[in-house]
């Protein structure tokens, strides 16, 4: 608009011409024909783009310049109405104003081409409009490209952060990410790295505390064995002396409790060794039928002493497992000891070895009051923890089913290819 000089003069729109024409018509109040003609000539010089004429009180056309259409010499009321109707809302823009205030001197008409009353922006050459559209298109396209680049970069960094969360080291902790920015996502990456660092520190403290606890258990287990052995030696000597019945019964109770504490310490020691991976494991092929007969025979005197009936159901054919004999002995010992200690009121313990398709199971069952209902079993939790750790290490599975009528413990071995 500035290049084409459209801003160098005042904008003359439709309202401007209408207001100007009405004001000029009012100024001609009582003017004669010569005065009116002079005025229109002056207005024509000022507004060369316009066509104008006037009609006197007798309806005669006066001073039509320049005008393309033929005008009647005498205006009738019907032609006047038709003229006004044809000009309303069309090109050219037409303004009709009565001369003076009494509307008896006639009227004057100005017609301006529609293009002359357009807004300056509408007068621009179409090439400028195309340039404008191209400029807007470039801006929109640049915004879209920059937005896509921005969101792609954000998505890429978020994907890298997600990948770091899913990738874990040998401790199961996510790997840190490389943060090279200080924006919001960079701050999130730094917070994530700080969290990873704290997790490592926490895991290291946990491992140190666990190691201290295990070392303490091993040290206590080792240190308590010697005094317990001495106590049991003196109890044995006192049993051989002539003492009253009450003292003899008290010695039996003390001996039983000392034996229990000794067993508990031994279990704690073994469990600590298992956790540290220091319990020796030597795998071999084991004939479970022969192994169970030997193990049950070793426990038979203890079952008889507890007045417990023993039920044995073993296969007539050999069933082989792969594992450590000493570990299996420890498992059987802990389970039998648990039955004698907590289910001897049922006066029964059973052993069953069954062969299934591709697997075999050892079932130890009793007729006690229920394994889970006996609060004293909490004292033997270490023994069962040893059983659980050994079974998992040997790649076996086990389950406990307990009711008020007894407990079934099943250990299952899956045949290897």
């Amino acid at each position: 608009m500035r290049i084409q000089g459209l801003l160098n003069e005042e904008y003359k729109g439709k309202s401007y011409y209408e207001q100007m024409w009405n004001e000029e018509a009012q100024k001609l109040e009582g003017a004669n024909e010569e005065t009116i003609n002079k005025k229109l000539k002056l207005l024509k010089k000022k507004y060369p783009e316009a066509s104008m004429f006037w009609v006197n009180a007798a309806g005669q056309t006066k001073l039509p310049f320049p005008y393309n259409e033929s005008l009647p010499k005498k205006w009738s009321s019907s032609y006047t109405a038709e003229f006004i109707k044809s000009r309303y809302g069309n090109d050219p823009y037409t303004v009709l104003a009565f001369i003076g205030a009494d509307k008896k001197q006639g009227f004057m008409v100005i017609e301006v081409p529609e293009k002359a009353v357009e807004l300056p922006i509408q007068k621009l050459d179409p090439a400028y409009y195309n340039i404008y559209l191209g400029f807007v298109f470039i801006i929109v396209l640049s915004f879209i490209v920059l937005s896509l680049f921005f969101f792609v970069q954000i998505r890429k960094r978020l994907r890298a952060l997600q990948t770091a969360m899913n990738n874990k080291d040998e401790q199961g902790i996510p790997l840190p990410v490389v943060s090279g920015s200080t924006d919001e996502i960079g701050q999130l990456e730094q917070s994530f790295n700080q969290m990873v660092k704290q997790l490592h520190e926490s895991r290291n403290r946990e491992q140190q505390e666990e190691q201290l606890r295990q070392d303490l258990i091993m040290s206590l287990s080792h240190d308590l064995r010697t005094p317990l052995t001495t106590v049991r030696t003196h109890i044995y000597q006192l049993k051989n002396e002539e003492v009253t019945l009450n003292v003899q019964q008290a010695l039996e109770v003390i001996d039983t409790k000392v034996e229990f504490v000794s067993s508990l310490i031994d279990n704690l020691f073994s469990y600590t060794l298992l956790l540290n991976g220091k319990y020796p494991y030597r795998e071999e092929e084991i004939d479970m039928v022969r192994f169970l007969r030997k193990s049950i025979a070793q426990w038979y005197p203890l079952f008889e002493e507890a007045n417990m009936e023993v039920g044995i159901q073993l296969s007539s054919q050999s069933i082989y497992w792969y594992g450590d004999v000493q570990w299996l002995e420890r498992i059987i010992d802990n389970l039998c000891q648990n039955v004698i200690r907590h289910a001897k009121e049922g006066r029964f313990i059973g052993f069953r070895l069954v062969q299934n398709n591709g697997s075999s199971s050892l079932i130890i069952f009793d007729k006690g009051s229920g394994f889970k209902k006996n609060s004293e079993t909490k004292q033997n939790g270490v023994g069962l923890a040893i059983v659980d750790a050994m079974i998992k290490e040997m790649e076996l599975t086990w389950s406990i089913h307990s009711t008020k009528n007894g407990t079934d413990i099943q250990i299952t071995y899956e045949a290897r290819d």
Side-chain angles (χ1 to χ4, degrees):
M1 289 168 61
R2 185 175 297 278
I3 291 173
Q4 293 193 2
L6 299 176
L7 301 179
N8 298 337
E9 57 183 18
E10 181 185 2
Y11 165 63
K12 300 180 182 64
K14 294 181 179 180
S15 59
Y16 172 83
Y17 283 101
E18 182 176 359
Q19 181 180 358
M20 177 274 299
W21 197 248
N22 281 287
E23 289 176 354
E24 295 294 340
Q26 292 294 324
K27 293 177 181 178
L28 296 175
E29 173 74 28
N32 55 26
E33 182 175 339
E34 183 179 358
T35 303
I36 295 175
N37 288 338
K38 288 181 178 180
K39 185 63 176 178
L40 259 65
K41 290 179 181 179
L42 293 174
L43 291 174
K44 175 59 181 175
K45 291 181 179 179
K46 186 175 181 180
Y47 303 104
E49 72 277 6
S51 300
M52 47 188 82
F53 64 91
W54 69 286
V55 178
N56 60 17
Q60 297 174 343
T61 302
K62 298 292 183 179
L63 200 66
F65 60 87
Y67 209 81
N68 297 328
E69 298 182 16
S70 58
L71 296 175
K73 293 182 178 181
K74 183 77 173 177
W75 287 60
S76 62
S77 58
S78 59
Y79 182 82
T80 303
E82 182 65 24
F83 177 84
I84 295 174
K85 181 179 178 181
S86 64
R87 293 298 191 272
Y88 182 76
N90 293 324
D91 187 17
Y93 175 66
T94 303
V95 179
L96 186 150
F98 289 100
I99 300 173
D102 57 3
K103 301 180 181 180
K104 295 180 179 180
Q105 290 182 255
F107 59 89
M108 47 192 285
V109 178
I110 183 173
E111 293 186 340
V112 184
E114 192 72 25
K115 192 170 184 60
V117 294
E118 289 179 344
L119 294 171
I121 189 69
Q122 294 176 312
K123 298 179 181 179
L124 288 178
D125 190 273
Y128 288 103
Y129 182 71
N130 294 333
I131 293 174
Y132 168 75
L133 289 180
F135 182 70
V136 172
F137 175 77
I138 291 173
I139 291 178
V140 173
L141 182 61
S142 301
F143 175 77
I144 294 174
V145 172
L146 291 175
S147 300
L148 288 176
F149 177 77
F150 176 74
F151 286 114
V152 166
Q153 290 296 318
I154 290 180
R155 184 173 180 270
K156 182 179 179 181
R157 295 172 66 185
L158 291 177
R159 289 284 298 274
L161 187 60
Q162 181 184 12
T163 302
M165 291 180 179
N166 294 330
N167 293 333
K168 298 178 175 60
D169 57 17
E170 62 278 359
Q171 292 183 333
I173 299 177
L175 299 174
V177 297
V178 179
S179 179
S181 178
T182 58
D183 57 6
E184 288 78 4
I185 298 181
Q187 294 175 5
L188 177 62
E189 292 170 342
Q190 293 175 4
S191 299
F192 176 77
N193 291 338
Q194 185 66 25
M195 181 194 70
V196 171
K197 180 181 178 181
Q198 293 175 356
L199 286 175
H200 277 291
E201 293 175 352
S202 176
R203 184 63 57 85
N204 291 334
R205 287 195 301 268
E206 180 182 347
Q207 291 176 351
Q208 292 174 359
E209 293 172 358
E210 179 67 18
Q211 187 63 41
L212 288 174
R213 183 181 67 83
Q214 293 176 6
D215 293 342
L216 178 62
I217 292 174
M218 291 182 67
S219 177
L220 288 174
S221 300
H222 183 270
D223 294 340
L224 289 174
R225 283 182 175 183
T226 300
L228 286 176
T229 302
T230 304
V231 171
R232 295 198 69 181
T233 300
H234 288 288
I235 292 173
Y236 178 77
Q237 291 177 352
L238 288 174
K239 283 183 178 180
N240 293 328
E241 299 291 334
E242 292 184 3
V243 294
T244 62
L245 179 61
N246 290 336
V247 174
Q248 188 70 28
Q249 291 176 349
L251 290 173
E252 290 291 340
V253 172
I254 294 173
D255 190 28
T256 302
K257 295 300 181 182
V258 170
E259 182 184 359
F260 172 75
V261 173
S262 178
S263 175
L264 181 60
I265 292 173
D266 186 57
N267 282 337
L268 282 171
F269 186 74
S270 300
Y271 185 63
T272 305
L273 290 176
L274 277 172
L275 292 180
N276 289 332
K278 297 179 180 180
Y279 204 97
Y281 178 76
R282 300 178 182 86
E283 187 175 82
E284 59 181 290
E285 188 179 56
I286 305 172
D287 186 342
M288 289 299 296
V289 176
R290 289 186 58 187
F291 168 77
L292 286 175
R293 285 174 180 168
K294 179 181 177 181
S295 298
I296 296 170
Q298 292 175 351
W299 276 89
Y300 203 84
L302 296 176
F303 293 146
E304 284 187 338
E305 184 179 349
N307 296 321
M308 298 181 68
E309 179 185 352
V310 181
I312 304 176
Q313 302 176 25
L314 302 179
S315 173
S316 58
Q317 298 179 351
S318 297
I319 298 176
Y320 293 96
W321 288 13
Y322 280 93
D324 190 300
V325 174
Q326 293 184 355
W327 285 38
L328 279 174
E329 287 180 354
R330 187 60 182 270
I331 292 172
I332 298 300
D333 290 347
N334 281 15
L335 294 178
C336 290
Q337 189 178 52
N338 189 75
V339 172
I340 292 176
R341 189 170 293 152
H342 307 298
K344 64 181 180 180
E345 71 275 5
R347 299 187 180 280
F348 179 84
I349 183 171
F351 298 87
R352 185 186 304 123
L353 184 63
V354 295
Q355 179 79 46
N356 299 319
N357 294 330
S359 65
S360 54
S361 299
L362 168 61
I363 304 171
I364 302 175
F365 53 98
D366 61 64
K367 296 182 180 179
S369 60
F371 180 80
K372 296 181 180 178
K373 297 181 182 296
N374 196 331
S375 61
E376 294 182 1
T377 57
K378 297 178 181 179
Q379 301 174 358
N380 203 41
V382 179
L384 290 181
I386 292 174
V387 172
D388 182 71
M390 287 185 167
I391 285 177
K392 290 180 178 179
E393 187 69 24
M394 295 173 66
E395 298 182 357
L396 306 175
T397 57
W398 75 312
S399 62
I400 299 177
H401 178 68
S402 183
T403 65
K404 63 181 180 179
N405 298 322
T407 301
D408 294 351
I409 299 177
Q410 179 173 331
I411 303 173
T412 303
Y413 172 82
E414 297 290 341
R416 301 180 182 180
D417 295 336

